[in-house]
Amino acid sequence: MRTVQSPPASEPATQLPSAAEPTERGLLQRIKSRFVRMVPPPVVRAMAGRYIAGERREEAVSLVNRMHAARGLYSTVDVLGEDIRDPAEAAEFLAEYTAILDDLAGCAHANISVKLSALGQVLDEDLCARNLESLLRHAAALGQFVRFDMEDHTTTDSTLDFYRRFVGRYPRIGPVLQSRLHRTERDVRELAPLKPNVRLCIGIYREPAEIALLDKPSMKRRLLELLEMMWDNGQYVAVATHDEAVIRRVFAMADRMGKTPADYEIQMLLGVPRSAIQKEAQERGLKIRLYVPYGRHWYAYCLRRLEGNPEMARMALGNLLRWRRR
Ligand code: FAD
């Protein structure tokens, strides 16, 4: 069973925090997580609705186009759902991704993000390979880029192997690397000859202490070190974070290393309010790309977003108590 880690309760906006107490924080997160998971689904949907485009494909396509027209924002679209247990479900995801690629045909401001587990990775790797190849062939015919989302550490080898296996035939693909995992530095070195287009993030999955950093300040320092390694190697990097202090460090490093908008972009989740720093990045000529999830399987995703947002988690608890008193 996968567990996800939430951000700390508070975060200085302009300065990287020093290393914190991971044990105490972990306990608070587990308590908060338990409360959030007791909130009834309709309340979760009402509170976390801004994190998803909707349940239908048309809603996602319309939102992506409106955000680009109104604010010059780019998108990466995700069909909600992961870790399926039945080949028929994998076929449904493949059909949905194929359809959204068609709907986004000719659209330079949106690509797709895929969780390989939704295509059958955990169920049967051969099935996943067939589904993935079908999707990549379709995306390539439309000139579209496909990002492979990264799930927990049990899938890292397999996901990077799929990337290596397909990148020769389908160059417009890219993996995600998570700075919290100790292995990531080695992955960066091993992937270096391929010069992958990487999305770099701290990672959302709570991982065992033996294989991962446990406190966010260390994960963020490592993220910046990994970014420097990839930039030294001449790679394009999509830095995925909402932390303004980290983004400012990225800008400073870019200036120092002579990196331009041709070398990187900033990615954030739909619904996390960051318009000022987004505007600042756009003034530097950078792309801001939002992760735009949609689909019927919204519940687990919305729960994660509530857990990830301290303010929303407090509201969830208030709503839960009111709901129980009825
Ligand atoms: P944090 O310290 O966690 O957050 C900084 C501040 O941002 C918080 O204090 C809070 O104010 C705000 N914030 C953060 N998250 C939320 C939220 N959900 N709601 C409201 N406010 C919030 N992880 C993976 O493991 N695999 C992936 O493939 C992956 N893809 C991602 C793609 C994108 C575009 C983004 C933005 C994130 C992705 N992540 C992925 C998750 C990511 O690694 C982090 O868990 C998440 O972005 C929070 O980390 P942070 O760097 O923003 O720092």
Side-chain angles (χ1 to χ4, degrees):
M1 185 69 189
R2 293 167 189 185
T3 51
V4 290
Q5 177 160 4
S6 309
S10 64
E11 178 101 45
T14 54
Q15 209 185 320
L16 278 183
S18 58
E21 234 339 300
T23 326
E24 191 182 317
R25 189 166 276 171
L27 180 64
L28 281 174
Q29 279 161 3
R30 275 197 290 279
I31 293 169
K32 195 169 75 183
S33 187
R34 191 158 297 168
F35 274 123
V36 167
R37 276 158 202 277
M38 288 162 71
V39 178
V43 180
V44 170
R45 178 75 164 86
M47 293 180 64
R50 69 190 167 101
Y51 294 117
I52 56 170
E55 292 194 19
R56 292 178 303 112
R57 188 163 68 245
E58 298 73 31
E59 294 173 273
V61 174
S62 160
L63 180 65
V64 159
N65 289 334
R66 278 185 281 125
M67 290 196 305
H68 186 68
R71 294 179 52 211
L73 294 169
Y74 290 71
S75 299
T76 185
V77 181
D78 164 59
V79 181
L80 285 168
E82 58 204 78
D83 213 3
I84 56 98
R85 297 285 159 184
D86 170 1
E89 262 187 281
E92 276 175 35
F93 274 102
L94 174 60
E96 187 62 31
Y97 268 113
T98 305
I100 188 103
L101 279 172
D102 286 335
D103 288 357
L104 294 173
C107 172
H109 54 267
N111 59 38
I112 59 167
S113 285
V114 181
K115 286 191 176 47
L116 300 192
S117 68
L119 298 179
Q121 182 183 34
V122 182
L123 196 62
D124 172 352
E125 288 224 343
D126 290 338
L127 170 80
C128 182
R130 286 195 298 279
N131 286 337
L132 185 56
E133 173 136 37
S134 163
L135 183 67
L136 297 183
R137 205 181 304 119
H138 198 69
L142 295 167
Q144 265 295 12
F145 180 89
V146 179
R147 175 75 63 197
F148 297 0
D149 280 347
M150 189 60 83
E151 300 177 65
D152 74 7
H153 75 275
T154 61
T155 65
T156 312
D157 279 328
S158 156
T159 304
L160 295 182
D161 284 349
F162 276 120
Y163 168 75
R164 287 189 185 91
R165 177 167 167 185
F166 285 117
V167 71
R169 266 173 291 158
Y170 306 103
R172 301 210 66 210
I173 61 178
V176 175
L177 294 177
Q178 299 151 322
S179 69
R180 78 174 56 205
L181 293 182
H182 297 319
R183 62 170 286 163
T184 300
E185 187 178 337
R186 194 184 69 234
D187 290 331
V188 167
R189 290 187 201 289
E190 288 179 0
L191 289 166
L194 297 171
K195 290 200 188 300
N197 171 328
V198 166
R199 176 195 294 151
L200 180 61
C201 63
I202 61 172
I204 194 88
Y205 300 92
R206 189 175 290 134
E207 301 285 12
E210 311 81 66
I211 62 161
L213 297 167
L214 296 184
D215 66 288
K216 285 198 177 179
S218 305
M219 294 172 202
K220 290 174 184 180
R221 276 193 293 275
R222 179 67 57 81
L223 181 143
L224 292 166
E225 290 161 8
L226 295 168
L227 175 63
E228 187 164 8
M229 282 172 67
M230 289 191 273
W231 271 351
D232 270 337
N233 188 45
Q235 290 172 232
Y236 186 91
V237 184
V239 184
T241 182
H242 311 95
D243 187 324
E244 298 191 18
V246 172
I247 296 172
R248 293 234 155 69
R249 294 278 180 108
V250 171
F251 292 163
M253 198 195 297
D255 292 345
R256 179 167 56 76
M257 295 179 74
K259 297 294 173 183
T260 70
D263 301 303
Y264 71 116
E265 66 185 49
I266 304 292
Q267 298 195 348
M268 300 189 187
L269 302 175
L270 176 70
V272 179
R274 286 292 182 275
S275 51
I277 191 85
Q278 288 175 358
K279 197 151 176 286
E280 204 178 313
Q282 286 176 320
E283 280 164 7
R284 288 178 155 258
L286 289 170
K287 280 185 186 139
I288 293 286
R289 191 179 299 277
L290 299 190
Y291 190 92
V292 176
Y294 79 95
R296 287 184 293 120
H297 303 284
W298 51 266
Y299 181 66
Y301 184 83
C302 286
L303 274 186
R304 269 187 252 171
R305 299 288 74 81
L306 287 182
E307 288 170 358
N309 180 344
E311 196 47 43
M312 293 286 273
R314 271 194 289 278
M315 279 164 61
L317 178 56
N319 273 309
L320 171 66
L321 295 175
R322 276 192 293 282
W323 182 278
R324 297 261 148 163
R325 269 192 233 117
R326 279 198 212 161

